[in-house]
Amino acid sequence: MSKYDVVVCGGGIVGLSCALALARQRVNVCLLGPRKKPMANLGQQYHPRIYAISSASQLFLQELGVWSSIPAERIVPVESMEIHGDRDGTVVLDAWQAAQAELAWIMESGEIEQALFQAVQIFGVPWIDDKMQSYSPGQVVTEKGQTVQASLFIGADGALSPLRKAAGLAHEAKPYGDTGLVLQLTTEKPHLNTAIQWFRPNGILAFLPLPDTNDGHQVSMVWSLRDEEAKVLQAMSPEQLAIELPHRLDEITQGRLGKVSVRSSMYGFPLTLEKANMVASGIALVGDAAHRVHPLAGQGLNLGLVDARVLCRILTEKEPFRSFGDLRVLERYQTERAEAILAMRLATDGLHKLFGTPSSGPLAFLRNAGMDVVQRLPFVKQRLIAAASGL
């Protein structure tokens, strides 16, 4: 039997961040979950999972001492964002409009994981390389039969969260009927450190800037597409996709980055809107275990990292007479995160509904006219930039 103050279930970015933040404050913390070597140092290839890291998340990674460990040559600072409506409505957000050097940073999941993986090893965080089998208040039993006790179990174990399910925390999920398609593209024109997004009634397309390779300029395509249309693309052979996809993208982008060519395999994942009770006595959920929003704003990981930062701060600032699993302590975390999570949930779900309606009629006119109004109002742009940065 092993006993700790806190056990973090999950070895992804948010779980590693939680464990590292607590270890740096000398909390007796342990990681529980499969210990997988990160996919990093991929040379001319890029990890299929690409994130837009906000200023708030960058600050947290910096506080953890891992930001400088991520290779600078694999990071692209986003200096501008273009958002295109389904007609002529366009909004351009530039970092300088808010007196910032960057709006966000585009980087690979594997590089962030590698930096955190190394850091938890340096800090000597115990890691039980096993899966949780059962939970009862104050302890879990792993698939290999090990009993692990703790005052607090943190669920950083993803959208399907075995801990959340075993602890019986309420959870709601609504499928969007959309599939997220991700792959890497070579583009004819340089992206100039600009993230570009197109809203269409059948989906939302984004090009995220990546570092150039020997093949030329690179972007990561993230396309939220209706399930039935996504299935057609997913059923294509690599040869068919290499021919068909560039044509479909050109219809949407109007050659914004010139000709594009497929450079990697395509991955797909279902999109859902989810929320759960984030705390119970002895339990706290962070990241996808606690909530999922539409990826159109690229804020899923950022919400999870801020969850981790806020939870760990509240735990280390608690009164000495309270335990880490004290419900009153954990409710402070839930209360502090409630407004930001709800705001992001409403914003992303609202935008999805707004642009998910037919492109004709008064609503289509109003949404595109609204984008034109925003484009002409600097103070509104500043508020949007601050929201995107997590500031």
Side-chain angles (χ1 to χ4, degrees):
M1 181 183 294
S2 304
K3 190 170 184 178
Y4 303 91
D5 289 329
V6 179
V7 171
V8 179
C9 299
I13 292 174
V14 175
L16 289 169
S17 299
C18 270
L20 181 59
L22 293 171
R24 289 175 65 90
Q25 296 299 317
R26 300 186 178 182
V27 174
N28 182 22
V29 61
C30 171
L31 277 160
L32 170 61
R35 184 170 181 157
K36 298 178 181 178
K37 183 174 175 57
M39 289 174 54
N41 306 313
L42 300 181
Q44 294 283 302
Q45 297 296 319
Y46 291 106
H47 195 287
R49 187 171 295 171
I50 303 294
Y51 291 118
I53 297 297
S54 69
S55 296
S57 294
Q58 187 267 347
L59 177 61
F60 183 41
L61 294 173
Q62 202 166 46
E63 291 170 351
L64 294 177
V66 300
W67 181 257
S68 60
S69 300
I70 302 170
E73 66 273 14
R74 301 192 75 88
I75 301 175
V76 175
V78 177
E79 298 170 2
S80 179
M81 293 178 63
E82 289 181 16
I83 305 166
H84 299 268
D86 53 351
R87 289 188 178 178
D88 297 324
T90 302
V91 173
V92 178
L93 304 176
D94 291 301
W96 61 263
Q97 292 171 319
Q100 296 176 203
E102 305 91 0
L103 294 173
W105 293 262
I106 304 298
M107 60 185 65
E108 302 157 84
S109 175
E111 298 296 338
I112 307 172
E113 290 168 7
Q114 176 71 3
L116 290 165
F117 190 85
Q118 292 173 338
V120 297
Q121 288 181 309
I122 291 170
F123 274 85
V125 178
W127 192 327
I128 301 172
D129 185 7
D130 200 354
K131 295 181 179 180
M132 188 196 77
Q133 185 177 64
S134 64
Y135 166 83
S136 57
Q139 72 175 36
V140 299
V141 178
T142 72
E143 288 186 352
K144 296 177 182 177
Q146 183 174 350
T147 299
V148 185
Q149 294 185 335
S151 172
L152 172 65
F153 289 89
I154 297 176
D157 47 354
L160 299 179
S161 185
L163 179 64
R164 181 188 67 213
K165 184 177 180 180
L169 271 68
H171 171 249
E172 298 176 11
K174 181 186 80 172
Y176 275 111
D178 293 348
T179 297
L181 300 177
V182 178
L183 55 68
Q184 186 180 337
L185 298 169
T186 298
T187 65
E188 181 182 11
K189 298 178 183 179
H191 51 63
L192 302 178
N193 292 17
T194 300
I196 313 172
Q197 196 167 35
W198 294 266
F199 284 83
R200 295 292 183 268
N202 66 333
I204 302 159
L205 172 67
F207 282 178
L208 304 180
L210 294 173
D212 291 349
T213 68
N214 294 340
D215 290 341
H217 311 299
Q218 305 294 309
V219 297
S220 174
M221 179 201 83
V222 183
W223 196 0
S224 161
L225 198 58
R226 299 302 296 172
D227 286 342
E228 55 273 19
E229 295 184 58
K231 287 177 182 177
V232 173
L233 292 175
Q234 289 177 296
M236 290 182 182
S237 68
E239 294 76 19
Q240 287 177 305
L241 191 67
I243 296 171
E244 180 66 23
L245 184 62
H247 290 304
R248 297 199 182 193
L249 295 178
D250 189 60
E251 289 178 3
I252 297 173
T253 68
Q254 297 297 297
R256 172 63 181 82
L257 293 181
K259 294 180 181 179
V260 302
S261 57
V262 176
R263 194 171 186 271
S264 72
S265 300
M266 185 168 67
Y267 298 86
F269 52 93
L271 303 183
T272 56
L273 180 68
E274 302 183 33
K275 66 176 181 179
N277 285 352
M278 295 178 69
V279 301
S281 181
I283 297 282
L285 303 179
V286 292
D288 283 355
H291 43 71
R292 291 188 82 188
V293 297
H294 197 284
L296 64 88
Q299 294 298 310
L301 177 62
N302 292 315
L303 284 175
L305 285 172
V306 179
D307 286 348
R309 186 186 188 198
V310 170
L311 175 59
C312 293
R313 172 177 55 77
I314 287 173
L315 292 176
T316 55
E317 291 177 354
K318 69 174 181 62
E319 302 89 339
F321 62 86
R322 296 194 186 279
S323 70
F324 288 103
D326 190 311
L327 184 57
R328 292 190 182 182
V329 174
L330 301 179
E331 285 175 339
R332 296 169 192 167
Y333 156 66
Q334 179 171 260
T335 299
E336 186 165 335
R337 294 297 294 138
E339 183 178 351
I341 293 169
L342 178 60
M344 186 59 65
R345 178 184 174 89
L346 293 175
T348 55
D349 193 47
L351 281 170
H352 178 267
K353 289 176 179 175
L354 180 63
F355 282 92
T357 56
S359 57
S360 60
L363 185 59
F365 170 78
L366 289 173
R367 69 193 176 206
N368 285 279
M371 294 180 74
D372 290 335
V373 170
V374 170
Q375 175 64 11
R376 294 193 294 268
L377 296 175
F379 70 92
V380 176
K381 287 189 177 184
Q382 290 172 1
R383 293 293 299 272
L384 290 173
I385 291 170
S389 301
L391 298 175

